[in-house]
Amino acid sequence: MSQKATATATPAKQPAAFRGSAWFKLVWIVPVAILLVLVIVVGAQLFRATESGLNFLTTYPGEAHLPEWAPVGFPAWLAWQHGINALLMVFVIKSGWQIRTTQRPALYFTRNNKGIVRTKRAPKKISINLWLHIATDTLWVLNGIVFYVLIFVTAQWTRIVPISWDVMPNAISAGIQYASLNWPTEDGWVNYNSLQLLTYFAIVFIVAPLSIITGLRMSPSWPSNTTRLNKAFPIEAARAMHFPLMLAFTGFIVLHIALVLATGALRNLNHMYAANDATNWLGFWIFVASVVVMAGAWLALRPMTLRVIASTMGNVTRN
């Protein structure tokens, strides 16, 4: 090849990881995260070895005392609520992710204006992914309303709502114990440790309501003529919050499953799915059955199936 041809030849493309792409930049998060985890673990272990650390952990063992009238154990309705919530969350998160990543939806949905929900404005055409997101969100919210009512009627709220200030130092103590890899002794059937309590409180009473509010703000049914409300809560703010809230849910689910399996899987699964404190395989097999149902629903809810279901509520088209 001549020098001229060599000079004008198009240079070979470098692999994507070496073109300054976002992926290459994200790779550097991994060693930084590993280093940060090591620093936290070593720091927690060193703190536990000091006299001050020992005194702190003795004074605050990791869980705050519940009132004498607080319920013990989990009723059957709570196990059912947990299973239904898990199933719905799978499709809430799946459809939400599809909305963000799908450039050309397979189908579109337009609600008819003859059903229960009627508006003065003409219904908007939305992607089938957004329809699935709204549909599963609606079921999830209804399930959540039942959950809220029942936990306050049965006093189960005492297990996930902080009622004394010592929950804060106990949560710090539990965090130190987890970080030092010498985990706190747990009996979730009777009482969560304070870090669990605050986490569940945040998910149930902060993350979930904010997800609903921001989702409503972005939905096609949000009233456009409420000028003051729209100015106070602009749609840009809702969009900026909604996706991080989904990531918070996802992170919680991953960590929740990991700890359930790592801190006595059989007993924990019995608490969550069989509503008993035994250490046997009943809760495990109910859990496996629930996973099979989720997987089956995941495979079944393809565009053609969604077309059949969505057609009962409106018009489904390809464009």
Side-chain angles (χ1 to χ4, degrees), residues 54-101:
L54 182 61
N55 290 336
F56 178 78
L57 295 178
T58 301
T59 304
Y60 302 104
E63 67 176 33
H65 293 291
L66 295 178
E68 295 182 358
W69 46 269
V72 175
F74 303 98
W77 64 262
L78 191 55
W80 278 98
Q81 280 275 313
H82 184 272
I84 294 171
N85 182 74
L87 174 64
L88 293 174
M89 280 303 301
V90 167
F91 295 99
V92 168
I93 293 174
K94 175 188 177 182
S95 56
W97 181 255
Q98 288 176 327
I99 292 169
R100 291 184 61 89
T101 58

Side-chain angles (χ1 to χ4, degrees), residues 186-210:
E186 297 181 356
D187 187 3
W189 186 254
V190 178
N191 190 10
Y192 293 127
N193 70 55
S194 293
L195 188 58
Q196 287 177 303
L197 185 153
L198 290 179
T199 302
Y200 294 146
F201 174 80
I203 290 294
V204 172
F205 295 104
I206 299 177
V207 177
L210 283 177

Side-chain angles (χ1 to χ4, degrees), residues 127-205:
S127 71
I128 197 67
N129 298 326
L130 180 54
W131 172 84
L132 178 61
H133 194 63
I134 293 173
T136 50
D137 269 337
T138 301
L139 295 175
W140 179 68
V141 169
L142 292 175
N143 186 64
I145 291 172
V146 174
F147 171 77
Y148 281 131
V149 171
L150 289 177
I151 62 170
F152 285 105
V153 169
T154 62
Q156 284 287 334
W157 65 270
T158 57
R159 298 169 59 88
I160 60 172
V161 175
I163 56 178
S164 63
W165 285 107
D166 64 343
V167 70
M168 299 305 297
N170 273 297
I172 295 172
S173 172
I176 293 171
Q177 294 175 65
Y178 279 121
S180 66
L181 305 182
N182 187 0
W183 293 359
T185 302
E186 297 181 356
D187 187 3
W189 186 254
V190 178
N191 190 10
Y192 293 127
N193 70 55
S194 293
L195 188 58
Q196 287 177 303
L197 185 153
L198 290 179
T199 302
Y200 294 146
F201 174 80
I203 290 294
V204 172
F205 295 104

Side-chain angles (χ1 to χ4, degrees), residues 235-257:
I235 193 171
E236 292 78 12
R239 287 172 177 161
M241 296 171 61
H242 199 68
F243 183 65
L245 289 168
M246 188 199 78
L247 294 180
F249 266 122
T250 305
F252 166 76
I253 292 169
V254 171
L255 184 60
H256 179 56
I257 294 174

Side-chain angles (χ1 to χ4, degrees), residues 241-315:
M241 296 171 61
H242 199 68
F243 183 65
L245 289 168
M246 188 199 78
L247 294 180
F249 266 122
T250 305
F252 166 76
I253 292 169
V254 171
L255 184 60
H256 179 56
I257 294 174
L259 289 177
V260 164
L261 299 178
T263 59
L266 292 181
R267 190 182 182 196
N268 289 335
L269 290 173
N270 267 334
H271 292 175
M272 297 164 61
Y273 288 92
N276 69 58
D277 194 32
T279 305
N280 56 38
W281 291 87
L282 177 61
F284 172 81
W285 290 116
I286 297 175
F287 167 69
V288 170
S290 73
V291 172
V292 171
V293 171
M294 291 179 193
W298 183 286
L299 294 174
L301 289 181
R302 295 183 177 276
M304 295 310 298
T305 309
L306 293 176
R307 174 195 276 276
V308 175
I309 300 173
S311 295
T312 63
M313 306 176 191
N315 299 319

